[in-house]
């Protein structure tokens, strides 16, 4: 009958509408299912996935203003020539048992994610309005300061993505790492605001801003990150990574690593630039951490790094976390430059650098290093071991650095 054609329209107009995805040509527009703001018994994930399915190739997807409740994983790996615009707030559910059972593997160190996004020629824009809320406090409290937890999901993973732009998104209380870039190329991530701050006795633990792995040609620019862990982390087999204009609070700063955890699988990191970083009350500033594995780190530039109240600004370790087999590592570190590194350290150490005795660091160079103790303290110590060009590297070492030198100091050396 003639009125049957009105049913889809009536459903869309109904206050209790369950069909909130509209397709016009190759454009899909998604509105939230709930208008109450409670999210009770609501899951917007199916309609978002349907929009991605119908308009993810040679099309566009828009998530309107409002609150979208995310109750399921999203494995969206086949985008092609697609523009995704998010104007609303995405809130992930607190059903920890669901995520522990269903979060999607990203291979690296047993980690997993709530959303894998991949394909070719993709834009993911938030226009300064998109907010990703991971309900992370639930995770911080149940995790109770423990380390990595299998199934605890990364918020967003770029997975086998080529030619992708991520811009203008805000994160609050992510479940785990904010973002992960894996098996991807030609990635640009700009104008992002990230914050993981616990409101209880339990710390956030492992809420990195971004980690790159098995990826190349990545540009990261104009970020503000508060995370309690690594701000920008470059992991194994990352090449041509450029991070600039980054503000980090309560973080690990600009870091290479960790890499080399499996001796049978070499990790290679080269052509990395960290520049124009500002760090406040962070653990480290410009540093390299490896396990005693194989591979290399070479051609890295730390430039124009400014900081206030950083625990240990410059740090190198070939045996991170376990302090074993430190001088047996065959992972070579070479051609690393620190230029214009200035600020205040929490204690009397500006740098602790222990390179492997089996593979001494080669061609480390320093210029414009100006590190002082906070609160008007005097000169800091620069501790160095197994650096091949130590005499002419541009930094006067004041003592040797023990193999088991800690990443975090608890007082003056």
């Amino acid at each position: 009958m003639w009125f049957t054609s009105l049913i889809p329209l009536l459903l869309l107009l109904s206050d209790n509408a369950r069909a909130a995805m509209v397709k016009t040509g190759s454009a899909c527009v998604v509105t939230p299912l709930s208008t109450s703001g409670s999210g009770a018994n609501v899951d917007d994930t199916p309609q978002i996935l349907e929009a991605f399915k119908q308009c993810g190739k040679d099309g566009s997807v828009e998530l309107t203003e409002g609150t979208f409740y995310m109750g399921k994983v999203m494995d969206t790996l086949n985008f092609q020539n697609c523009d995704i615009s998010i104007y609303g707030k995405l809130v992930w559910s607190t059903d920890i048992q669901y995520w522990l059972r269903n979060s999607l593997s990203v291979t690296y160190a047993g980690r997993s994610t709530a959303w894998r996004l991949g394909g070719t020629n993709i834009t993911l824009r938030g226009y300064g309005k998109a907010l990703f809320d991971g309900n992370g406090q639930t995770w911080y409290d149940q995790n109770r300061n423990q380390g990595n937890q299998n199934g605890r999901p990364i918020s967003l993973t770029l997975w086998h993505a080529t030619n992708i732009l991520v811009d203008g998104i805000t994160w609050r209380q992510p479940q785990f790492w904010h973002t992960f870039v894996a098996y991807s190329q030609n990635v640009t991530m700009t104008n992002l605001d990230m914050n993981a701050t616990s409101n209880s006795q339990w710390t956030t633990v492992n809420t990195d801003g971004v980690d790159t792995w098995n990826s190349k040609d990545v540009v990261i620019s104009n970020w503000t990150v508060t995370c309690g862990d690594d701000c920008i982390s470059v992991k194994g087999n990352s090449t041509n990574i450029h991070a600039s204009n980054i503000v980090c609070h309560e973080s690990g700063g600009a870091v290479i690593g960790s890499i080399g955890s499996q001796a049978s699988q070499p990790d290679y990191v080269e052509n990395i630039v960290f520049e124009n970083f500002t760090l406040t009350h962070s653990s480290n500033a410009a540093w390299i951490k490896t396990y005693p594995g194989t591979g290399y780190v070479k051609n890295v530039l730390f430039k124009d790094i400014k900081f206030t109240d950083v625990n240990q600004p410059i740090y190198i370790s070939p045996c991170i976390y376990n302090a074993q087999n430190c001088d047996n590592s065959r992972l070579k570190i070479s051609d690393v430059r620190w230029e214009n590194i200035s600020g205040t350290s929490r204690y009397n150490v500006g740098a602790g650098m222990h390179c492997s005795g089996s593979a001494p660091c080669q061609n480390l160079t320093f210029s414009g290093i100006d590190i002082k103790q906070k609160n008007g303290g005097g000169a800091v110590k620069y501790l160095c071991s197994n650096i091949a060009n130590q005499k002419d590297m541009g930094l006067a070492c004041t003592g040797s650095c023990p193999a088991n030198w800690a990443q975090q100091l608890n007082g003056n050396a």
Side-chain angles (χ1 to χ4, degrees):
M1 298 177 65
W2 65 271
F3 59 82
T4 59
S5 62
L6 294 178
I7 291 176
L9 177 60
L10 291 172
L11 286 173
L12 290 172
L13 295 176
S14 170
D15 288 338
N16 298 314
R18 304 302 294 178
M21 193 279 285
V22 177
K23 181 182 181 184
T24 304
S26 61
C28 290
V29 177
V30 186
T31 55
L33 291 172
S34 173
T35 59
S36 67
S38 68
N41 301 316
V42 170
D43 182 6
D44 286 287
T45 313
Q47 59 167 345
I48 295 173
L49 289 173
E50 184 63 23
F52 289 159
K53 179 181 178 181
Q54 293 195 31
C55 298
K57 182 176 181 180
D58 299 320
S60 65
V61 176
E62 175 186 326
L63 274 60
T64 66
E65 293 185 2
T67 301
F68 296 86
Y69 293 97
M70 315 300 292
K72 296 181 176 62
V73 297
M74 293 200 298
D75 203 15
T76 55
L77 303 179
N78 298 309
F79 287 110
Q80 184 176 337
N81 306 320
C82 182
D83 295 320
I84 305 168
S85 298
I86 300 178
Y87 295 94
K89 178 180 180 180
L90 275 59
V91 180
W92 276 264
S93 82
T94 57
D95 186 352
I96 286 179
Q97 293 307 312
Y98 169 82
W99 297 108
L100 293 178
R101 292 191 304 268
N102 295 283
S103 56
L104 305 163
S105 172
V106 295
T107 307
Y108 177 84
R111 304 283 68 84
S112 57
T113 189
W115 184 6
R116 288 197 308 187
L117 189 160
T120 304
N121 300 331
I122 311 161
T123 63
L124 175 63
R125 290 187 174 97
Y127 302 96
K129 295 183 177 182
L131 173 61
F132 289 7
D133 182 347
N135 263 316
Q137 192 65 51
T138 302
W139 290 95
Y140 314 153
D141 291 345
Q142 71 89 34
N143 194 49
R144 299 192 176 191
N145 294 348
Q146 300 302 306
N148 295 329
Q149 179 183 21
N150 290 336
R152 182 180 170 187
I154 300 164
S155 176
L156 171 67
T157 295
L158 305 186
W159 183 259
H160 291 279
T162 303
N163 303 333
I164 181 168
L165 168 67
V166 178
D167 179 79
I169 298 173
T170 296
W171 272 261
R172 291 295 182 265
Q173 303 299 81
Q175 307 93 312
F176 191 58
W177 297 349
H178 291 77
T179 56
F180 186 38
V181 179
Y183 299 115
S184 296
Q185 182 176 2
N186 294 336
V187 174
T188 300
M189 305 177 76
T190 52
N191 304 309
L192 304 184
D193 184 329
M194 301 175 170
N195 192 309
T197 304
S198 177
N199 299 317
S200 73
Q201 62 179 311
W202 308 111
T203 60
T204 58
V205 185
N206 300 117
T207 45
D208 299 9
V210 66
D211 295 75
T212 70
W213 179 63
N214 281 294
S215 295
K216 61 182 179 179
D217 306 324
V218 179
V219 174
I220 297 166
S221 182
N222 299 328
W223 288 28
T224 299
V225 181
T226 302
C227 67
D229 212 310
D230 296 340
C231 184
I232 309 293
S233 176
V234 174
K235 298 192 183 299
N237 304 313
S238 295
T239 305
N240 300 336
I241 313 294
H242 192 150
S244 64
N245 301 322
I246 312 294
V247 177
C248 305
H249 301 276
E250 307 289 341
S251 77
V255 54
I256 303 293
S258 14
I259 64 173
S261 59
Q262 299 182 28
S264 60
Q265 182 176 340
D267 277 333
Y268 304 104
V269 172
E270 60 182 320
N271 302 334
I272 313 298
V273 175
F274 298 104
E275 63 177 339
N276 295 322
F277 274 60
T278 301
L279 305 107
T280 303
H281 198 260
S282 294
S283 61
N284 303 84
W287 56 302
I288 300 172
K289 55 178 177 177
T290 83
Y291 289 94
T294 59
Y296 61 71
V297 173
K298 67 179 181 180
N299 196 22
V300 176
L301 172 63
F302 297 98
K303 182 179 180 181
D304 298 330
I305 313 292
K306 299 179 180 180
F307 49 88
T308 302
D309 190 15
V310 166
N311 186 291
Q312 187 170 199
I314 299 172
Y315 178 71
I316 296 176
S317 174
C319 53
I320 193 70
Y321 305 129
N322 58 22
Q324 297 178 357
N325 299 316
C326 300
D327 287 316
N328 294 325
S329 176
R330 293 170 291 155
L331 200 156
K332 299 178 181 180
I333 299 173
S334 67
D335 303 302
V336 183
R337 294 173 289 157
W338 286 262
E339 299 180 4
N340 301 329
I341 313 297
S342 63
T344 57
S345 62
R346 197 164 304 156
Y347 304 112
N348 68 341
V349 175
M353 301 181 288
H354 184 99
C355 300
S356 171
S358 299
C361 292
Q362 304 281 338
N363 196 27
L364 305 189
T365 59
F366 298 82
S367 64
I369 309 301
D370 183 12
I371 303 174
K372 296 181 175 65
Q373 295 182 63
K374 72 172 186 176
N375 299 327
V380 297
K381 297 180 180 180
Y382 297 103
L383 308 180
C384 316
S385 293
N386 302 320
I387 300 174
N389 63 312
Q390 181 173 317
K391 293 182 179 181
D392 60 2
M393 67 183 183
L395 184 70
C397 296
T398 59
S400 61
C401 185
N404 62 348
W405 190 250
Q407 174 188 332
Q408 300 301 311
L409 306 179
N410 294 315
N412 288 337

